[in-house]
Amino acid sequence: QVQLVESGGGLVPAGGSLRLSCAASGRIFSIGVMGWYRQGPGKQRDLVASITGGKSTNEADSVKGRFTISRDHAQNTVYLQMNSLKPEDTAVYYCNAAVQVRGSYVSANYWGQGTQVTVSS
């Protein structure tokens, strides 16, 4: 009923920048918290940054000052601007959103398919 489609990943040298986008579509009534997670090789999936409907943000300590999360309510889209990238930022980045679909009284968590970010040293 809801699809999250990420874009913007790729290969970038250390110190470079990338901007990830995630667009939600489908039978959406409202979207609450949206976030970005990442999973490196052999590691668990960890929260990178999240943003509420009121646009309050939370970032992992490892990315504070380098990554910025933002959202566009009208477009049901969340962005992750990543600057000063490091090799340790290499991971698959996943978009997550708490979505209330039309006709439902509760929200459910939805995930995107993931986009690869590779930072070369």
Side-chain angles (χ1 to χ4, degrees):
Q1 299 187 75
V2 174
Q3 298 80 39
L4 301 181
V5 178
E6 299 124 333
S7 61
L11 174 64
V12 62
S17 298
L18 283 174
R19 189 191 195 208
L20 305 183
S21 300
C22 171
S25 62
R27 293 174 48 82
I28 297 170
F29 177 73
S30 68
I31 304 178
V33 176
M34 302 185 82
W36 289 95
Y37 289 73
R38 67 186 181 186
Q39 187 167 17
K43 298 182 179 180
Q44 66 181 22
R45 189 175 297 187
D46 292 324
L47 175 68
V48 176
S50 62
I51 184 168
T52 68
K55 298 191 177 181
S56 295
T57 63
N58 176 54
E59 295 86 17
D61 288 342
S62 60
V63 306
K64 281 182 178 177
R66 300 189 299 123
F67 291 10
T68 302
I69 189 170
S70 61
R71 67 189 287 174
D72 182 331
H73 283 289
Q75 299 295 325
N76 289 333
T77 300
V78 63
Y79 304 96
L80 186 68
Q81 178 65 46
M82 304 185 294
N83 299 327
S84 302
L85 282 160
K86 304 175 181 179
E88 51 262 44
D89 295 318
T90 294
V92 178
Y93 283 69
Y94 296 91
C95 173
N96 175 271
V99 180
Q100 183 179 357
V101 301
R102 289 196 294 268
S104 174
Y105 294 100
V106 297
S107 294
N109 257 334
Y110 291 86
W111 291 92
Q113 80 285 356
T115 185
Q116 177 70 45
V117 171
T118 302
V119 184
S120 61
S121 56

